Amino acid sequence: MIMSFSSKLLLLVLGVNLLLSVSQVPVQVELSYPERVKIGDIANITVTVKNTWSSEIPSIIICDNVTHTCRFIGSLQPGQEDFLTYQAKILEPGMYTFYFSVDIPSLNYTSTYYAHIRGTMYNSLLPVVLFSGPLFLTILFYKRRSRIFFAMAVIGMFLWVLYGVWSMEHSLILRFSTEICLSCLGLEAEERAIKLSPESEAKLKSLESEVHIILFTSEHCKACPAAKHLLSLVSNASEGMVKYVELDIATHKSEAEEYGVRFVPTIIVGNVKIEGVPSDKYLVDVIVKEAGGG
Amino acid sequence: MKVGLVRFRRLLQLIGLFLANLGILGLSHIGFVYPYLYCYACPFSILGCPFGVLQNMMIVRAVPFLSVGGLFSIYLFSGRFFCGWICPIGLLTEVFHKTERFVNGKLFKIKVKIASPPKPLTFVKYGVLVVSLIVAYMFKDTYFCKGCIAGFLVAGIPYRLRLHIGLFSGLTLTHPFTIHIIIFIVIFILSLSYLGKFWCRFICPVGAMAGILNNVSLLRLEYDKSKCTGCMLCVQACPMAINPTELDAYAESDCIRCGSCVDACPSGSLRLSFKPSLK
């Protein structure tokens, strides 16, 4: 193949540029993380940074959405490497994406790396296939009432129970039966029906001390906007004397456990726990009592 | 007069009602499900609703090993025993059935008669079971609970009373609690005809789950043809409207092992036995 001088020159320039551009990446970053993590377990993510630059890098900043902070790695000599470890607790099933942005201020270098972790009940689907056998056989030989198939079904179901206990399914059942979305049962109040009566407004205006309220909500709860709406009405009517914070039970698990939250929405006023969306009269009575008492 | 099974059954049903509400003694929740339909949102419940938990499992895309394995390993031995002997909703439907005699016999002096529904209609409960789970998987909500009478009675009413809302205040036609009430009234009226245990026969998905394994369960109704006089008193006594003398595959799956036919039989050709009659 005959190449002209100009094309050779072009290739040379391109090649040199490519080499330069490769060598311009000052650090080699590697993320190591588990791809599947059982719900409730802690996923360890390790970020390893290696200096591939020709000289010393004074400082590297790594920001993340695990701890929501930025951390520094000290100076790295050429060829030297350092690592940071993060711990993320997987609470719900589904795909989690964590990002780590690596920033070198002295070189104006920024790059972002992602870790994709799937929160699962089980580490693999193999047990599902293995243990489904006895159940399907039972259904298949439904009419035969054979002793062997009965024994197989009993053993199979017993294995299911064992596997369920081993994979911490009882904690998931406990969560379902203790953190109940009231709207999922059809027990919600309608948002547009919520308004304050004139008596309630008068009571709220005459408040003398501040009252702090916690509202526990969750993502899929349809009654929670109604509770929030009621609290915002109360807060506005009291001219700032009533203050409330909204906490999601998925992200504020320890607070939810502390207050023994069983339903969403739950409103905490002092020592009083109100589950669901209360009537405005009852809520205002509780607030007045709380303000008068403390 | 011989002491019938029904006496023991009432006693066991009342004990079952107490056991379901052990939270009244201050016990907290345990991570397992009731083997019968009872709402986990009841203020005194200690276990999870089996069908509510299954729907939630579908929503979070988890395979319910412990709940299904636990339930099926119970049902393999008992069949639909819990429906007839322990379930509080079963007790409620029997109370409905008693009111039927009063309303039709004493109050109006007329007998409301509805033609017996065709047998395949009892398969509706399997449809409810499958469709509710698929709907929960697709739309990520527990739609069955929005019409469940157990949820209405043991969670809905206490919830509204405890929130100081008043039982019927602020209700519009589309309010979820109104829908609960309407469904409850419809089921009550349907139970007043001689459809009897309407909920257990046609809707209850937990009964359907137990019914799948009724045909292979150890506890079963045994029929001795040589003693039978053919009086058909057992057919009249059966709350599930099946013929105990002709138990085929789908009549069998509806038998709740309540023993009404055993009580009614004058010749003693029917009995409940726990002997494995497997091949």
Side-chain angles (χ1 to χ4, degrees), chain B residues 124-162:
Chain B
V124 168
K125 58 180 176 290
Y126 299 101
V128 170
L129 172 69
V130 174
V131 169
S132 303
L133 291 182
I134 291 172
V135 164
Y137 187 87
M138 285 170 69
F139 299 105
K140 298 192 171 185
D141 204 347
T142 56
Y143 280 99
F144 178 80
C145 301
K146 296 181 200 303
C148 176
I149 59 167
F152 166 73
L153 285 171
V154 302
I157 293 173
Y159 161 83
R160 287 188 73 85
L161 289 177
R162 203 170 38 160

Side-chain angles (χ1 to χ4, degrees), chain A residues 26-27 29 49-51 53 55-63 70-78 80 82 84 101-110:
Chain A
V27 284
V29 179
V49 184
K50 190 180 181 184
N51 184 357
W53 191 244
S55 60
E56 184 192 344
I57 297 173
S59 72
I60 300 169
I61 305 167
I62 296 180
C63 297
C70 293
R71 294 204 255 173
F72 288 91
I73 290 184
S75 64
L76 282 182
Q77 296 298 329
Q80 197 190 353
D82 203 347
L84 284 175
S101 69
V102 178
D103 190 17
I104 306 171
S106 57
L107 296 171
N108 278 333
Y109 172 84
T110 308

Side-chain angles (χ1 to χ4, degrees), chain B residues 73-86:
Chain B
S73 50
I74 294 169
Y75 295 153
L76 272 171
F77 290 93
S78 70
R80 283 190 77 171
F81 168 80
F82 285 94
C83 298
W85 287 72
I86 293 168

Side-chain angles (χ1 to χ4, degrees), chain B residues 8-24:
Chain B
F8 296 111
R9 205 152 64 81
R10 287 284 177 276
L11 184 69
L12 217 63
Q13 278 174 330
L14 290 173
I15 291 172
L17 185 63
F18 174 70
L19 287 178
N21 290 299
L22 270 184
I24 210 160

Side-chain angles (χ1 to χ4, degrees), chain A residues 242-283:
Chain A
V242 175
K243 284 175 182 157
Y244 72 93
V245 283
E246 188 188 342
L247 301 180
D248 194 315
I249 54 168
T251 50
H252 295 86
K253 218 169 172 59
S254 57
E255 286 90 343
E257 272 169 21
E258 189 185 322
Y259 287 101
V261 174
R262 221 191 125 198
F263 297 95
V264 279
T266 290
I267 300 167
I268 310 275
V269 188
N271 294 323
V272 185
K273 184 165 79 176
I274 306 170
E275 289 161 345
V277 187
S279 65
D280 67 306
K281 188 172 164 290
Y282 177 67
L283 180 65

Side-chain angles (χ1 to χ4, degrees), chain A residues 12-82:
Chain A
L12 186 70
V13 170
L14 276 176
V16 169
N17 259 334
L18 193 69
L19 274 175
L20 277 177
S21 65
V22 167
S23 63
Q24 264 170 5
V25 178
V27 284
Q28 184 190 338
V29 179
E30 273 180 20
L31 294 188
S32 74
Y33 55 90
E35 283 185 2
R36 295 169 74 99
V37 166
K38 258 169 57 192
I39 299 157
D41 282 4
I42 291 164
N44 287 310
I45 309 165
T46 312
V47 184
T48 313
V49 184
K50 190 180 181 184
N51 184 357
T52 51
W53 191 244
S54 50
S55 60
E56 184 192 344
I57 297 173
S59 72
I60 300 169
I61 305 167
I62 296 180
C63 297
D64 65 281
N65 67 343
V66 181
T67 59
H68 297 283
T69 49
C70 293
R71 294 204 255 173
F72 288 91
I73 290 184
S75 64
L76 282 182
Q77 296 298 329
Q80 197 190 353
E81 63 176 43
D82 203 347

